[in-house]
Amino acid sequence: MSELSVNHLLGIKYLTEQDIELIFETADHFKEVINRAIKKVPTLRDITIANIFFENSTRTKLSFELAEKRLSADVINFSAGQSSVKKGETLIDTVNNILSMKVDMVVMRHPNPGAGIFLSRHVKASIINAGDGAHEHPTQALLDSFSIRERLGEVAGKKVVIVGDILHSRVALSNIFALKLQGAEVKVCGPRTLLPKHIESLGVGVETDLRKALNWCDVANMLRIQNERMEFSYFPTTREYSQQYGINKTLLESLDKEIVIMHPGPINRGVEITSDVADSEQSIILDQVENGVAIRMAVIYLLASKIK
Ligand code: CP
């Protein structure tokens, strides 16, 4: 297969296993490119991309911008906080005004689930979802699976546990879709209050005992508590959460086998993960960030090739 089955990247839910394979093969090539002395290719000199962020971001925003520049695309950046959105302009008006400047592709982060889907139905541009509320974060899941493949050789057959605030996490949902599509076994682990009802219907196991979950898995993906999406208290105290669902070096070293530790960032050191685990040899957290650029170059390149 030489092209994606989709014209937008709105969620992993809309991809096929072959799409993911194609993105990974393309990312393998771009990872080699970004490790050369000259890290740039002229491939997308005729493409203009707008990064529009209605929510805070460090990794995703910088990674997309770098990926676009490595491909020689023209890039414009928009942050809602400093824009006319503050004066009441709607999402469609905002984006159509940006598109009238001859923009080909929009990378959007938005607090509302489905914002990218909505946009793709109303504007003429290729849309990449850079995180929509608690719904999906497809490029994060792609870079996570790519990093597992890099460390363990393949994703199929691997046991992955996603730990923490599953209820409010777009990373968890996109990871579940991506890992299942590639043949991994997936469990979620956290307090009952932070596990969505009926999560088993997605084909994942549920474990509330962190030690049992870690002894089962090959890979543990530790998630942050999404305080910004919480209206109520879901556990008594942060200290108690950390004691029951945080990973520290003593716990890691007491397990039956050596496991891989992941985290999408931003990390709350001392809450879901201690510094000695985050910075250990078993952690691939910074590999995930590095791979994010290659994955996003691959996604942009493959979607851009469908525009012409
Ligand atoms: N992982 C992730 O999406 O991080 P940012 O919120 O910093 O982009």
Side-chain angles (χ1 to χ4, degrees):
M1 199 176 83
S2 60
E3 68 169 22
L4 293 175
S5 66
V6 290
N7 294 323
H8 309 276
L9 180 61
L10 302 174
I12 300 291
K13 190 165 51 193
Y14 307 103
L15 298 183
T16 63
E17 191 184 349
Q18 290 73 32
D19 286 328
I20 295 183
E21 275 171 26
L22 178 61
I23 292 168
F24 285 4
E25 282 164 19
T26 313
D28 283 336
H29 166 69
F30 285 129
K31 181 145 186 188
E32 190 261 310
V33 168
I34 60 180
N35 280 295
R36 290 182 198 158
I38 296 171
K39 301 172 172 56
K40 204 164 170 163
V41 285
T43 322
L44 296 189
R45 271 189 312 207
D46 54 344
I47 292 283
T48 304
I49 304 176
N51 300 314
I52 65 173
F53 278 68
F54 293 85
E55 251 189 13
N56 294 342
S57 169
T58 299
R59 277 147 293 273
T60 312
K61 194 162 184 272
L62 291 177
S63 179
F64 266 112
E65 188 171 345
L66 195 57
E68 291 151 5
K69 288 180 171 167
R70 296 279 191 245
L71 291 165
S72 301
D74 287 323
V75 179
I76 53 173
N77 289 307
F78 166 94
S79 292
Q82 293 131 30
S83 73
S84 293
V85 168
K86 292 277 172 209
K87 301 175 195 163
E89 194 166 40
T90 66
L91 175 60
I92 292 183
D93 281 340
T94 300
V95 176
N96 272 327
N97 275 273
I98 294 170
L99 293 183
S100 67
M101 300 176 210
K102 309 293 177 218
V103 166
D104 305 291
M105 192 177 286
V106 174
V107 175
M108 182 171 76
R109 171 166 289 192
H110 200 281
N112 294 347
I117 300 166
F118 174 77
L119 203 60
S120 70
R121 290 180 185 150
H122 290 91
V123 302
K124 284 200 182 83
S126 185
I127 309 295
I128 300 180
N129 177 7
D132 59 335
H135 180 225
E136 281 229 39
H137 192 350
T139 55
Q140 180 69 46
L142 290 167
L143 74 88
D144 289 343
S145 285
F146 186 80
S147 303
I148 294 173
R149 169 182 174 267
E150 185 175 73
R151 177 59 76 105
L152 297 179
E154 59 181 346
V155 176
K158 296 292 178 285
K159 293 176 177 165
V160 182
V161 65
I162 306 170
V163 181
D165 182 3
I166 313 297
L167 187 66
H168 301 97
S169 173
R170 53 193 173 211
V171 174
L173 192 59
S174 287
N175 260 278
I176 289 169
F177 290 139
L179 291 164
K180 296 287 296 172
L181 205 53
Q182 295 168 90
E185 282 185 68
V186 185
K187 280 189 182 179
V188 293
C189 177
R192 281 273 170 209
T193 49
L194 290 176
L195 301 176
K197 282 184 187 142
H198 314 301
I199 184 92
E200 294 93 336
S201 66
L202 296 177
V204 303
V206 172
E207 180 56 76
T208 53
D209 182 321
L210 180 62
R211 177 178 289 280
K212 279 191 193 165
L214 295 177
N215 269 323
W216 170 82
C217 74
D218 302 303
V219 179
N221 195 353
M222 307 301 296
L223 302 183
R224 179 178 68 87
I225 297 293
Q226 310 253 317
N227 287 315
E228 70 276 22
R229 296 190 211 288
M230 290 185 180
E231 291 168 27
F232 322 99
S233 288
Y234 288 81
F235 45 84
T237 62
T238 304
R239 189 156 174 259
E240 190 168 314
Y241 175 85
S242 179
Q243 282 169 350
Q244 286 198 40
Y245 292 102
I247 190 162
N248 57 45
K249 197 79 174 186
T250 310
L251 175 57
L252 189 66
E253 288 178 346
S254 71
L255 300 176
D256 297 341
K257 61 180 173 187
E258 195 165 289
I259 63 169
V260 176
I261 301 295
M262 304 178 69
H263 195 305
I267 293 175
N268 283 323
R269 288 176 186 259
V271 180
E272 69 275 8
I273 191 166
T274 52
S275 287
D276 49 11
V277 174
D279 304 331
S280 71
E281 290 288 310
Q282 284 167 254
S283 161
I284 59 167
I285 294 171
L286 291 180
D287 299 330
Q288 291 172 257
V289 178
E290 181 184 344
N291 287 333
V293 178
I295 282 288
R296 290 177 174 119
M297 286 174 82
V299 167
I300 293 164
Y301 169 81
L302 290 166
L303 289 176
S305 68
K306 298 197 78 174
I307 291 173
K308 294 167 194 171

